[in-house]
Amino acid sequence: MVFLKKLHKWVGLLIGIQVLLWLTSGLMISLLDPAKVSGAKWARPAARAVPLPVENLLEPDELAVDLTRGALSIELKTTSGQAVYEIIRAGGASLINASTGLLLGFSRQDAKTLAQRDFSGDGGIDSIEKGMAPDMETRDHSGPYWRVNFKDAADTSYYISAGTGEILERRNNHWRTRDVFWMLHIMDYSGREDFNNALIITVSLTAIWLGISGFLLLFCSFNRHEFNFLRVWRKRDEVLVTLITTTTGDPRVIRLKRNSNLFLSLAGKNIDLPSICGGGGECGKCRVKIGSAKLFAANAIEQALVPKPLREQGYRLACQYEIKGNITVYI
Amino acid sequence: MIKRGNVLSRILHKWIGLVIGLQVLIWLTSGLYMVVVDLDFIHGDPLVQNMQRPIVIPDSSRVSIAALKKRYPNASHIGLRPVMDKTYYTVTTADSRYLVDPATTEVISPLAKETASQIAVFHFNGDAAVINASLITADPPMEIKTRRLPLWRVDFNDRYSTSFYIDPYSGRLVTRRHQYWRIFDFLWMLHIMDYDERSDAHNPLLVLTQVAGLAFCITGLWLLFYSFSGRRKRKLAEG
């Protein structure tokens, strides 16, 4: 038990702040509304699939070989009323006009139209920028994109692929807040997505000892009488404790509950024994001399904190002492 | 009443710990598992192969897009994708999907049990045999809760109890699950305290427990201050 306490407080000192960060970031993440974080709350439902146009379209074997080489899949579909081939390659997707066979690109104006069509929140477009490589907000994607910034309260930014016109991400301040807390939670301060990093593995392996020691200490921290909540009103459970202040020698008799902890019972009667640790059996300040017919053996904590000659004279730690019967306490 | 910070924080820390101590231990243990076990392994990346096979563009003189449009006038998507070593046409209409053999014009979907098993073996990176294949049409297991049904579930006799899920209408390996994924998912459920859907971290039980957890942690840090200041003063007294 002495060892468990030591372990618990040293591990707590070492990583207590990170445990606080885990709980704070976890709480913040679960308070945020996922529909706001994903931007789905302000996204209009996707257009329903429409039958392909009947006019003559190019067959896949009529497309330029360069455009289809290495394709993992090809699909003919309709986007914005236009029949297109979507070509998926290992490196990403591209769109081909199914009537002309030409590679499609999406301009600033197209990106603006696509973003405005999807976004249902308040506020017009503030600015449009082009990005060539993924940044923190588009980290799951590749290829050039348009960033369309809205003037709404949540500073929404739409990311639209310059190659396929696909809405890559709908980012806003809810997402940005979550992302910072997620970074703190998984302790990946650069990429914010790898939770198998060496730092968090180390800290988690340390933290588990805080948990295990704390859990075991829980069993030694309570005695069964603490759960007998009705006892407060039961007069017959009381014992008489005679307090003698050694400096003045004045005796004083008080009633305390049988089987309760001496230190806490006295604190409950506004008699504050000297203590730094607050009754944890760590500072040894709450030392008192017990005068009783039957003195119980000192426990491991008392053996560590009360010198042997004093223990033999009847000195004990009040925070370790369970009142069993009428006693005299010299404080 | 208790007025001193050291006594108060100790009592609070102990009683809050009694209420949520077990959940805190669960948070730490489940967190440790998720952090220690490699996520790519959990996703089953080492279990699959042949996932990026280029298609072979068929000769449109046999089956053309134009002919498929005539056969399925409501088709919204017509594509080409590989199923094992061959390329097939895929057709999506408002009510169904079809896999069409470009050589024979034959519709091969929905795929039979044997074909689904062959596709699973084709993508499985290992020697283990298929021990079971079953079509899931309703009441999907937790591990494919969000997926579109029906799906063929093909189980392998390997040390991870791997299951591959094959879409009978496209021949695609939709997802793969194994024992360590299932453990991860169970621990994730315990971690976010969403015992029904296992996906919603925005739930009142979790928020409430975390608020208590925060109080637990703060009283602990508060106590730490007393625990260590006692040590310094004792040293001084002894010295």
Side-chain angles (χ1 to χ4, degrees), chain A residues 4-43:
Chain A
L4 280 179
K5 275 181 183 248
K6 274 219 164 83
L7 181 71
H8 195 70
K9 80 181 201 187
W10 279 100
V11 177
L13 183 71
L14 208 57
I15 58 151
I17 296 296
Q18 180 55 41
V19 175
L20 186 67
L21 284 174
W22 274 333
L23 283 158
T24 315
S25 54
L27 177 62
M28 292 312 293
I29 289 169
S30 53
L31 282 174
L32 289 166
D33 180 354
K36 288 182 180 172
V37 169
S38 67
K41 190 180 166 76
W42 300 287

Side-chain angles (χ1 to χ4, degrees), chain A residues 26-27 30-32 50 52-53 55 59 61 71 74 76 196 201 221-222 226 270 273 275-278 280 282, chain B residues 3-4 6 10 14 34-35 37 39 54-55 60 65-66 69 75-80 82 201-202 210 226-227 234:
Chain A
L27 177 62
S30 53
L31 282 174
L32 289 166
V50 290
L52 290 163
E55 82 259 29
E59 294 291 331
D61 61 353
I74 288 182
L76 176 65
N196 296 130
I201 292 177
S221 306
F222 288 91
E226 284 182 74
N270 283 330
L273 295 176
S275 174
I276 294 164
C277 70
E282 286 169 17
Chain B
K3 291 185 301 280
R4 288 187 296 174
N6 50 2
R10 191 167 294 279
K14 172 174 131 166
M34 294 190 276
V35 153
V37 185
L39 190 64
I55 53 167
S60 63
I65 296 251
K69 270 201 298 180
S76 60
H77 298 73
I78 299 178
L80 286 165
H202 183 59
Q210 286 188 110
Y226 296 116
S227 297
R234 199 165 63 237

Side-chain angles (χ1 to χ4, degrees), chain A:
Chain A
M1 171 137 151
V2 178
F3 170 73
L4 280 179
K5 275 181 183 248
K6 274 219 164 83
L7 181 71
H8 195 70
K9 80 181 201 187
W10 279 100
V11 177
L13 183 71
L14 208 57
I15 58 151
I17 296 296
Q18 180 55 41
V19 175
L20 186 67
L21 284 174
W22 274 333
L23 283 158
T24 315
S25 54
L27 177 62
M28 292 312 293
I29 289 169
S30 53
L31 282 174
L32 289 166
D33 180 354
K36 288 182 180 172
V37 169
S38 67
K41 190 180 166 76
W42 300 287
R44 293 208 173 88
R48 284 185 51 208
V50 290
L52 290 163
V54 285
E55 82 259 29
N56 286 333
L57 299 174
L58 295 170
E59 294 291 331
D61 61 353
E62 292 168 334
L63 299 173
V65 179
D66 279 354
L67 296 176
T68 57
R69 185 177 291 129
L72 303 174
S73 71
I74 288 182
E75 192 161 54
L76 176 65
K77 60 179 187 178
T78 318
T79 61
S80 312
Q82 187 181 22
V84 294
Y85 276 106
E86 183 180 44
I87 318 277
I88 309 284
R89 277 206 196 70
S94 53
L95 287 189
I96 293 170
N97 184 317
S99 310
T100 64
L102 295 174
L103 190 65
L104 285 177
F106 287 79
S107 66
R108 179 181 291 262
Q109 186 56 42
D110 296 330
K112 184 180 172 184
T113 310
L114 288 166
Q116 274 174 329
R117 192 189 295 163
D118 187 83
F119 184 61
S120 68
D122 299 323
I125 289 175
D126 183 43
S127 60
I128 303 175
E129 307 149 33
K130 185 153 192 182
M132 300 308 291
D135 64 3
M136 210 48 156
E137 302 202 352
T138 52
R139 60 189 178 227
D140 298 333
H141 306 279
S142 58
Y145 58 81
W146 293 101
R147 174 180 175 155
V148 182
N149 298 315
F150 285 91
K151 278 185 288 200
D152 63 323
D155 290 332
T156 299
S157 298
Y158 269 60
Y159 289 90
I160 294 179
S161 163
T164 64
E166 188 196 349
I167 295 170
L168 302 174
E169 299 293 354
R170 301 173 180 94
R171 299 304 194 206
N172 54 44
N173 288 344
H174 302 282
W175 180 86
R176 292 177 191 116
T177 308
R178 186 198 185 272
D179 203 43
V180 169
F181 285 113
W182 180 245
M183 170 191 83
L184 294 173
H185 204 73
I186 66 168
M187 301 176 81
D188 175 11
Y189 308 105
S190 47
R192 300 187 183 179
E193 52 187 356
D194 173 23
F195 53 74
N196 296 130
N197 67 72
L199 179 64
I200 195 167
I201 292 177
T202 313
V203 179
S204 298
L205 278 170
T206 316
I208 199 81
W209 293 104
L210 186 69
I212 293 170
S213 59
F215 197 71
L216 293 175
L217 281 171
L218 210 50
F219 292 97
C220 343
S221 306
F222 288 91
N223 80 44
R224 64 188 170 86
H225 305 287
E226 284 182 74
F227 299 102
N228 190 354
F229 301 105
L230 297 174
R231 193 163 77 104
V232 180
W233 295 285
R234 291 226 307 251
K235 280 269 183 268
R236 65 190 165 87
D237 260 0
E238 288 180 340
V239 295
L240 296 176
V241 173
T242 312
L243 285 177
I244 298 173
T245 314
T246 43
T247 45
T248 60
D250 290 341
R252 185 179 156 196
V253 178
I254 52 169
R255 292 173 172 276
L256 296 179
K257 294 289 169 202
R258 188 188 303 276
N259 297 320
S260 64
N261 179 284
L262 180 58
F263 178 86
L264 289 176
S265 304
L266 290 176
K269 298 268 181 193
N270 283 330
I271 300 163
D272 290 336
L273 295 176
S275 174
I276 294 164
C277 70
E282 286 169 17
C283 66
K285 293 282 176 197
C286 60
R287 191 165 74 195
V288 293
K289 189 179 168 190
I290 310 283
S292 156
K294 206 167 78 184
L295 190 61
F296 297 98
N299 68 15
I301 289 171
E302 289 169 313
Q303 284 175 21
L305 294 172
V306 184
K308 196 174 176 209
L310 289 180
R311 290 203 305 271
E312 283 167 353
Q313 288 172 39
Y315 281 93
R316 293 289 184 272
L317 294 183
C319 69
Q320 303 298 313
Y321 196 87
E322 203 175 300
I323 309 162
K324 292 289 181 195
N326 295 348
I327 50 169
T328 306
V329 179
Y330 301 87
I331 58 175

